[in-house]
Structures are given as C-alpha cells and as structure tokens.
C-alpha cells in the first residue's frame, strides 16, 4: 500500500488507487517511449519552398515574413494550422480552445523551439479574432496568399475547407526539413489540449461532445463540416 494517504479514505479506496497508479505510470512511460521513438524518425522531406506569409499580430499585421525567418535563432519550428478560412464567420471552436492554451504556453516553449499558429483567413481577420480571445504572445500568421496549407495537407479541396494540423520542421545549416505532423484523424494533439486532459481527472470525465463549450458559434463549421452528423 502507498504511504500517501488522505484523511478518512478507506482501505478499499487506497488499494484501488494504488492499482490505478501503476496504470498511470505505465501510461507516462508509454508516452515517453513514443516520444523517444518519434525522435528517431529518418529525415523528412525538404521544405517545398520558402513560403511567404503575412503576420497577424498587433503592430505588424499584413507584413510579409518568409518561412525560414520563423525559426529566428532556433533549429526547430512548431507550426499549428488552425481552422479559419477566408470566408468563415468565426474559426473552429476546438482550434480556438487549443490556441488559447498555446498562447499561454508560447513563452516557455520558445525557450527551446520556435512556435507559431497559422490560418488561411486574411491577416486582419486573424488579428481581430486574436484580440477577441486575448491572444497576446504566440506568433500568428496568415497563409491567405500562400500554398502552404494546400501543400502540407492542412486543407481539403478549397481554401475554406481547412483542417487542423500541427507540423514540426527542423533546420539544418541552410536547409529546412519536415520532421513530423499530427496525422491521426482525431485526438491528433490530445496530449497538449488542457481542456480535455483536465476533465480526464474528474469523476464525470470528458463530456459527451466533440467540441469544448464556447461563448460563440462558428456557422461556417456547422454548415459545412457538422451538418448531418
């Protein structure tokens, strides 16, 4: 039995908790093992082109920036493409939930790697949404005039049919290579999504719906992605 015990807990509770603790440790070990295996992937494909994006952050909205410049002084870039197309009224609520967390993680993450979020919507539209959400740290980009999202499978047949995708790129000397992408069809970045993971610790568990509760609706998403589901 574990030495860690809380006031008034029963022996049955402690015994069950100790058994669950073994599974929790095994899960942590598995996550670390998968991460280690990920780091042994062969070199991915060289970046197709040095894409040109537009900044969507306050103070530089619409200014051009090349893909290669996003690395700054780092050798690794994490780039999350969130679902917000040119003609969308509002972005995807789930992607918004993720970027809420990414914005607050940006400072710590960028001690080790460059980190940015990109959408297909025009830069001013992204910036307006960032102000609404209070995003103030993460680098925000518009791929409105770039083929990046189409080339790297962040969309379907048109610019408005966006898909969520986390990409990781590495820079070696003067070349950039694709390292990894979140290719799972669902739960693709589940381990870094605070909302779902925090609720996993509760007795109620995750609610039985696919999208976190928000104080807004994305009518484009509802009409073109969720209709009929």
């Amino acid at each position: 039995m574990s030495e860690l015990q809380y006031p008034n807990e029963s022996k049955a509770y402690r015994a069950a908790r100790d058994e669950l603790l073994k599974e929790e440790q095994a899960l942590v070990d598995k996550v670390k093992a998968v991460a280690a295996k990920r780091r042994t992937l062969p070199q991915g494909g060289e970046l197709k082109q040095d894409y040109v994006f537009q900044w969507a952050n306050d103070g530089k909205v619409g200014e051009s920036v090349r893909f290669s410049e996003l690395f700054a002084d780092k050798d690794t870039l994490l780039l999350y493409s969130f679902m917000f197309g040119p003609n969308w009224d509002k972005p995807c609520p789930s992607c918004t939930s993720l970027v809420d967390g990414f914005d607050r993680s940006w400072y710590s993450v960028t001690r080790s790697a460059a980190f940015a979020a990109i959408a297909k919507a025009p830069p001013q539209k992204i910036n307006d949404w960032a102000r609404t959400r209070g995003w103030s740290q993460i680098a925000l980009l518009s791929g409105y005039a770039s083929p990046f999202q189409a080339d790297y499978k962040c969309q379907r047949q048109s610019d408005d049919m966006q898909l969520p995708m986390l990409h990781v790129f590495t820079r070696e000397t003067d070349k950039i290579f694709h390292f990894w992408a979140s290719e799972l069809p669902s739960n693709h970045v589940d381990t870094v999504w605070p909302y779902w993971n925090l609720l996993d610790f509760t007795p109620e568990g995750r609610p039985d719906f696919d999208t976190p509760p928000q104080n807004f609706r994305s009518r484009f998403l509802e009409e073109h992605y969720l209709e009929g589901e």
Side-chain angles (χ1 to χ4, degrees):
M1 181 175 289
S2 170
E3 294 181 3
L4 183 63
Q5 297 180 48
Y6 298 102
N8 300 318
E9 68 179 28
S10 66
K11 290 183 178 179
Y13 172 87
R14 179 45 48 190
R17 181 67 187 92
D18 286 348
E19 285 301 309
L20 181 61
L21 194 62
K22 295 175 185 176
E23 294 188 44
E24 290 176 344
Q25 184 61 59
L27 179 61
V28 171
D29 293 342
K30 180 64 174 179
V31 169
K32 289 182 177 180
V34 170
K37 192 169 185 177
R38 186 181 296 120
R39 292 192 293 271
T40 68
L41 283 169
Q43 188 177 74
E46 186 175 352
L47 185 69
K48 186 174 180 180
Q49 62 177 271
D50 196 5
Y51 299 96
V52 177
F53 304 134
Q54 284 73 48
W55 286 114
N57 293 92
D58 275 340
K60 51 184 179 180
V61 174
E63 294 181 13
S64 295
V65 59
R66 289 193 170 275
F67 194 105
S68 56
E69 296 176 294
L70 299 176
F71 285 82
D73 61 343
K74 303 297 188 297
D75 292 323
T76 298
L77 167 68
L78 295 95
L79 184 59
Y80 182 67
S81 186
F82 64 101
M83 298 169 66
F84 192 15
N87 294 302
W88 289 42
D89 55 314
K90 291 181 176 64
C92 166
S94 292
C95 291
T96 296
S97 173
L98 273 161
V99 182
D100 284 344
F102 290 163
D103 183 67
R104 294 302 180 256
S105 302
W106 180 87
Y107 177 84
S108 298
V109 171
T110 54
R111 301 310 95 188
S112 302
F115 189 18
I118 186 171
K120 197 67 180 179
Q124 188 59 61
K125 199 169 184 177
I126 297 171
N127 181 254
D128 290 344
W129 187 247
R131 287 186 170 190
T132 298
R133 299 301 295 189
W135 299 340
S136 60
Q137 298 187 63
I138 193 167
L140 294 171
L141 304 159
S142 169
Y144 180 73
S146 167
F148 170 79
Q149 274 103 333
D151 289 347
Y152 282 87
K153 317 306 180 188
C154 304
Q155 66 180 51
R156 294 176 183 163
Q157 66 272 21
S158 74
D159 287 351
D160 273 319
M161 301 307 287
Q162 292 293 301
L163 298 169
M165 182 76 75
L166 177 64
H167 282 287
V168 181
F169 294 86
T170 59
R171 181 174 60 183
E172 298 180 18
T173 312
D174 59 344
K175 292 185 177 182
I176 296 170
F177 297 92
H178 186 250
F179 171 71
W180 177 87
S182 53
E183 298 178 25
L184 288 174
S186 61
N187 302 97
H188 66 122
V189 284
D190 189 82
T191 56
V192 293
W193 198 339
Y195 173 71
W196 298 113
N197 282 278
L198 286 170
L199 290 180
D200 276 342
F201 293 121
T202 69
E204 296 81 10
R206 301 185 182 197
D208 187 22
F209 44 72
D210 295 329
T211 301
Q214 295 282 11
N215 60 357
F216 70 93
R217 294 177 64 181
S218 175
R219 297 193 181 278
F220 186 95
L221 183 78
E222 292 173 4
E223 292 171 4
H224 294 86
Y225 285 76
L226 304 179
E227 194 174 40
E229 289 190 0

